[in-house]
Amino acid sequence: MSLVADTARPATTPDMAELAPFPAGPLLTEARADAEAVALAWEDGARTCLPLLWLRDHCPCPACRHPQTRERLHVPLDEVSTPPETRIEEGHLWLCWEDSHESRFAAGWLHQRRPEAPATSPVPARRAWREGFTPVRVRHADFLTPEGEATWLEALLRDGLALIDQGPLADEEVSRLAERIGPQRPTNFGARFDVRSKPNPNNAAYTAIGLALHIDLPNWRQPPDIQLLYCLENEAEGGESLFADGIRVAEALREADPEAFRVLSEEAIDFRFQDETHDIAVRAPVIGCDAEGRVVELRFNNWIRDTLRLPAERMTAWYRAYRHFWQLLHSPRFQLDFSLAPGEMVAFDNRRVLHGRRAFDPNTGARHLQGTYLDRDLLESRLRVLSRSRR
Ligand SMILES: O=C(O)CCC(=O)C(=O)O
Ligand SMILES: [Fe+2]
Ligand SMILES: [Zn+2]
């Protein structure tokens, strides 16, 4: 194995690249081991102290990392308390452990992973919509280039909503676009679904009625992360699309009415969908928060909210909180509304951004959308892969 730095690698190599070729980066000038750790210094002045257990665990040799899959084989079960023999070889770190096992670490790899290194990720943090938010639009032709696709993915992951426009009026185009990113997420409505008014609908979306803001499938333990809706026809009167940033509105509720926020984020309620072949149900709060109390997801869908099963004395408070949240969500100051044109696709974070539509009159023309879902992991993965060649 060579320790030669390969400058063609991206600045942040995936973990699997612990094996050759190694990333470029500053060389080591100092390495000193004691019974706990190895102290390191680089030529750019950076310093760190890495515990022996950590270094032993991350040995990149073919016995510790599978040479083909690059997955870890070593299991860190042994105590390591004898300082390894420690040398700098051509600027990189060489260690020889008590049992004579040898580990070689590229200086650049260690530099990127020292605990003090700033976190770098091409995946943007979520950003709540502000007053006058206008979604990013990428032309269909540009989406087919790595730059255009990355721009669109960044916007979608950051803002929770992004558009593609000037696309072809081709059946299944939504599936072709989705599958550039990853396999479609199937649900009880299929992997790919048609939104138009149908005889015998099993879902309000398949009628012509207006749809109040909602997320899809909150009755699933894991509702689909991302929804794509591709417009093929939109000649009917009405049918405008409506959206609201659920995180932003939940924060507005927390500020205006902390008690309503508390009730909706603490009381678990039932969501359930039933037809001839399915009965999919889950019990969870309307506003989902993480351990730090930050809003991370919403379950808001009035059609498939099941019987409210709460102690009777807590029901009135729940309805009061729900009413307040409903009013805020549907107030014009939080709502984005536009008409999808044929050849346009809207994609949104289904667990964050609520969607709806105005009623349409099917006697005035056809309205036909094709939809599908994707997992957020696949979007993040795609963005990381695209960023390898963009650096
Ligand atoms: O018809 C629309 O614009 C949206 C329908 C909908 O809510 C859905 O497909 O999930
Ligand atoms: Fe929907
Ligand atoms: Zn090893």
Side-chain angles (χ1 to χ4, degrees):
M1 184 187 354
S2 135
L3 283 173
V4 175
D6 177 351
T7 48
R9 298 293 301 184
T12 303
T13 46
D15 264 348
M16 64 181 193
E18 286 176 25
L19 297 171
F22 283 122
L27 297 176
L28 286 165
T29 54
E30 224 181 287
R32 250 177 315 100
D34 63 23
E36 301 267 311
V38 177
L40 298 172
W42 284 264
E43 58 190 359
D44 69 348
R47 311 186 76 86
T48 197
C49 217
L50 291 167
L52 299 184
L53 274 169
W54 189 95
L55 285 161
R56 182 62 195 85
D57 185 33
H58 291 83
C59 175
C61 86
C64 295
R65 284 252 159 192
H66 193 284
Q68 272 125 17
T69 71
R70 298 171 174 192
E71 291 167 314
R72 181 181 283 106
L73 300 173
H74 175 76
V75 187
L77 300 181
D78 297 328
E79 284 295 335
V80 185
S81 53
T82 308
E85 197 185 322
T86 301
R87 274 206 306 268
I88 293 175
E89 281 188 349
E90 294 173 14
H92 303 284
L93 181 66
W94 176 91
L95 302 174
C96 182
W97 305 92
E98 197 182 5
D99 61 359
S100 305
H101 190 90
E102 293 179 29
S103 301
R104 293 179 158 82
F105 293 94
W109 187 91
L110 288 167
H111 188 267
Q112 283 176 1
R113 284 158 180 82
R114 69 195 196 283
E116 300 78 11
T120 56
S121 166
V123 178
R126 292 180 183 196
R127 194 169 73 195
W129 297 358
R130 302 190 190 122
E131 208 68 47
F133 166 75
T134 42
V136 167
R137 284 177 173 267
V138 172
R139 282 189 7 216
H140 182 276
D142 293 334
F143 178 79
L144 304 181
T145 68
E147 292 74 25
E149 186 179 349
T151 301
W152 184 83
L153 287 166
E154 275 167 20
L156 177 51
L157 292 167
R158 181 189 63 227
D159 301 332
L161 187 143
L163 289 150
I164 289 177
D165 61 17
Q166 300 174 51
L169 303 185
D171 185 45
E172 291 289 353
E173 187 60 14
V174 72
S175 304
R176 281 186 288 276
L177 295 182
E179 283 179 354
R180 294 179 73 84
I181 296 164
Q184 299 168 67
R185 154 90 191 263
T187 76
N188 52 305
F189 297 108
R192 225 267 297 125
F193 51 90
D194 284 279
V195 184
R196 54 181 155 199
S197 71
K198 303 176 193 178
N200 304 319
N202 65 346
N203 179 324
Y206 304 157
T207 67
I209 63 171
L211 302 178
L213 292 170
H214 64 280
I215 80 150
D216 278 9
L217 302 159
N219 57 311
W220 285 60
R221 203 163 302 282
Q222 173 160 341
D225 291 333
I226 305 291
Q227 181 169 186
L228 314 181
L229 285 174
Y230 196 102
C231 178
L232 291 174
E233 288 176 284
N234 201 358
E235 311 311 327
E237 256 167 47
E240 297 84 0
S241 303
L242 312 171
F243 299 94
D245 179 358
I247 292 186
R248 178 183 183 210
V249 183
E251 288 304 341
L253 180 72
R254 176 165 17 210
E255 202 174 307
D257 189 346
E259 178 56 16
F261 182 91
R262 189 196 64 73
V263 169
L264 294 181
S265 59
E266 288 181 8
E267 295 278 26
I269 63 159
D270 293 298
F271 297 90
R272 187 171 185 180
F273 171 89
Q274 301 172 76
D275 66 4
E276 288 71 37
T277 46
H278 291 93
D279 187 343
I280 306 171
V282 82
R283 188 167 171 84
V286 169
I287 299 176
C289 295
D290 66 11
E292 274 84 50
R294 285 184 297 245
V295 177
V296 285
E297 72 166 335
L298 295 176
R299 289 181 191 265
F300 196 94
N301 185 321
N302 204 50
W303 300 281
I304 59 171
R305 194 164 57 72
D306 202 14
T307 310
L308 186 69
R309 190 160 53 89
L310 287 177
E313 67 276 12
R314 302 217 299 263
M315 288 180 179
T316 306
W318 189 88
Y319 281 110
R320 195 195 67 79
Y322 189 66
R323 187 182 327 129
H324 196 170
F325 194 34
W326 179 287
Q327 283 160 351
L328 276 186
L329 277 167
H330 291 89
S331 77
R333 90 182 143 117
F334 291 127
Q335 214 163 299
L336 186 67
D337 88 63
F338 55 83
S339 232
L340 277 174
E344 282 181 358
M345 185 184 86
V346 61
F348 49 92
D349 181 337
N350 178 57
R351 298 171 73 172
R352 162 184 170 186
V353 171
L354 294 94
H355 65 285
R357 68 152 188 248
R358 299 219 167 85
F360 61 94
D361 179 356
N363 300 318
T364 56
R367 184 178 188 276
H368 182 199
L369 312 180
Q370 289 188 321
T372 189
Y373 303 110
L374 283 170
D375 287 323
R376 186 181 179 92
D377 300 84
L378 295 171
L379 276 78
E380 294 188 358
S381 159
R382 184 82 183 130
L383 192 54
R384 289 190 194 100
V385 170
L386 287 169
S387 80
R388 287 182 198 164
S389 54
R390 287 165 84 221
R391 282 170 202 271

